[in-house]
Amino acid sequence: MKILVVKTSSLGDVVHMLPATSDAHARIPNLSVDWVVEEGFAEVPVWHSGVSRVIPLAIRRWRKSLFSATTRAEMREWRETLQQTNYDLVIDTQGLLKSALVGCFAHGTRHGYDWHSIREPLASLCYQHRHTVSRTQHAVTRNRLLTAAALGYTLEGLPLDYGIARHTFAKTDSVLPQPYVVALHGTSRPAKEWAESHWQMLIQDMAERGIHTLLPWGNAREQARATRLAQHPYAHCLPRCRLSELAAILQGAKGVIGMDTGLMHIAAALDQRGVALYPVTAAQLTGIVGNSNAPHPMITLAGEEVNDAAIVVQRFADLLDIG
């Protein structure tokens, strides 16, 4: 059987689809999975050994110059690439109108959420088969249940497995100080950030234990903050890294602490220990969920408990078994 998964963005959403891919392979012999994903996140499905082909999509870039000749040529080439294969099923787990329309370009029977289960109800009209999946379920569970319904199996007895914990990642060229933790201070909007003074407290606490703090960044605002925090001798602003390089850094860390960001979900998928901070997001729907057989705990702190930096830092230190 050959299927196409449509899960385009964002980073956390793409990571959330990995366990469903593991499930499908566990239940269906000789399954082949292709995956349509935004070009910025195209590295992630490649990490899963059960993904045969990744088809990058560039909606975010194309919509900035939708009518240019270059954009139209790229869109045509993408459509021709997609239509080279006939699929038994096309499963849109994104649940948006744009992702449903992407699925319409593919050759195959389309499956997705029904009108009441989906984020954008009009998208459900694009599917030939619609499935009911409660919106109160965690995003990982919703992906698993939709994929199971589309392919005709149950999740009973299947462990949650992202399928990437033992992947070998490309190493960064930078020489990293040892030992280190990673502080994922960046997030999608300011309301979800942690105060800079809190990060300074964390860095100082780690330094007193002989542990360095690495600070990745993804935009100018995050780079500026990382640069300020890196004034401490035990804190280090990383160069811009590809996702695979960041994954390698996360994999080699003593622990990870960070905000509501896709990189925290990658850390959980890699069986890292750590603390995820959710000051405003509904953690029950998109909080950190690790592999069923994860050897280390990954905990989520939400709401007011995030604001007490001393308690957060101590919880993190306890997880690292260093104090």
Side-chain angles (χ1 to χ4, degrees):
M1 176 180 282
K2 193 168 188 65
I3 69 170
L4 177 71
V5 167
V6 181
K7 177 67 91 172
T8 58
S9 64
S10 57
L11 179 56
D13 291 338
V14 174
V15 175
H16 288 159
M17 183 58 199
L18 294 172
T21 306
S22 298
D23 295 339
H25 275 283
R27 285 288 193 247
I28 301 174
N30 302 315
L31 179 69
S32 178
V33 179
D34 290 356
W35 189 323
V36 174
V37 62
E38 267 287 338
E39 60 183 2
F41 310 121
E43 291 176 75
V44 177
V46 173
W47 302 341
H48 197 294
S49 61
V51 176
S52 301
R53 183 173 66 147
V54 175
I55 306 172
L57 183 67
I59 291 177
R60 295 184 176 188
R61 178 166 54 82
W62 290 341
R63 66 188 178 191
K64 296 176 182 178
S65 55
L66 193 57
F67 300 105
S68 75
T70 300
T71 296
R72 291 170 70 86
E74 285 189 22
M75 293 172 66
R76 183 168 55 253
E77 181 180 359
W78 173 83
R79 185 177 66 251
E80 291 172 352
T81 298
L82 182 67
Q83 294 177 343
Q84 289 173 359
T85 303
N86 292 320
Y87 295 101
D88 295 291
L89 282 84
V90 177
I91 309 175
D92 172 25
T93 63
Q94 193 77 43
L96 301 177
L97 188 57
K98 68 178 181 181
S99 60
L101 292 174
V102 165
C104 289
F105 285 110
H107 297 314
T109 305
R110 298 184 298 279
H111 289 250
Y113 297 108
D114 67 17
W115 183 276
H116 300 289
S117 306
I118 203 166
R119 290 167 61 186
E120 295 183 359
L122 284 176
S124 67
L125 301 179
C126 297
Y127 311 134
Q128 292 148 311
H129 297 274
R130 304 172 186 90
H131 305 278
T132 301
V133 180
S134 172
R135 295 190 66 182
T136 64
Q137 303 262 25
H138 190 280
V140 170
T141 303
R142 277 172 53 81
N143 288 327
R144 297 181 75 194
L145 288 171
L146 175 59
T147 305
L151 293 172
Y153 59 81
T154 69
L155 298 181
E156 185 177 358
L158 283 176
L160 193 159
D161 180 12
Y162 288 88
I164 66 171
R166 287 161 293 281
H167 181 77
T168 301
F169 295 94
K171 302 296 183 181
T172 177
D173 292 333
S174 303
V175 177
L176 302 177
Q178 300 291 335
Y180 67 85
V181 296
V182 179
L184 300 173
H185 57 98
T187 189
S188 59
R189 63 181 192 270
K192 296 162 70 174
E193 293 176 353
W194 213 31
E196 223 164 290
S197 59
H198 294 355
W199 290 116
Q200 290 169 343
M201 182 184 297
L202 170 80
I203 290 166
Q204 180 59 33
D205 185 272
M206 293 295 106
E208 290 171 1
R209 303 169 193 274
I211 298 176
H212 297 264
T213 301
L214 305 189
L215 301 159
W217 54 272
N219 56 44
R221 176 184 175 86
E222 294 172 10
Q223 184 184 21
R225 180 170 54 240
T227 300
R228 290 191 298 270
L229 293 172
Q231 293 176 19
H232 192 288
Y234 268 72
H236 311 270
C237 176
L238 292 173
R240 181 182 285 277
C241 299
R242 296 173 57 234
L243 281 175
S244 292
E245 293 172 327
L246 282 173
I249 292 170
L250 292 171
Q251 198 171 48
K254 191 172 180 66
V256 181
I257 182 170
M259 311 310 298
D260 172 16
T261 173
L263 290 172
M264 280 302 301
H265 295 286
I266 291 177
L270 295 176
D271 286 342
Q272 258 297 358
R273 70 187 80 198
V275 176
L277 305 175
Y278 278 58
V280 296
T281 312
Q284 65 270 24
L285 299 180
T286 58
I288 299 300
V289 176
N291 292 301
S292 295
N293 60 352
H296 305 300
M298 175 74 78
I299 65 172
T300 299
L301 302 179
E304 288 301 315
E305 60 186 346
V306 173
N307 296 326
D308 193 328
I311 291 179
V312 172
V313 171
Q314 186 59 53
R315 291 287 297 274
F316 185 53
D318 290 343
L319 280 181
L320 303 183
D321 195 26
I322 56 174

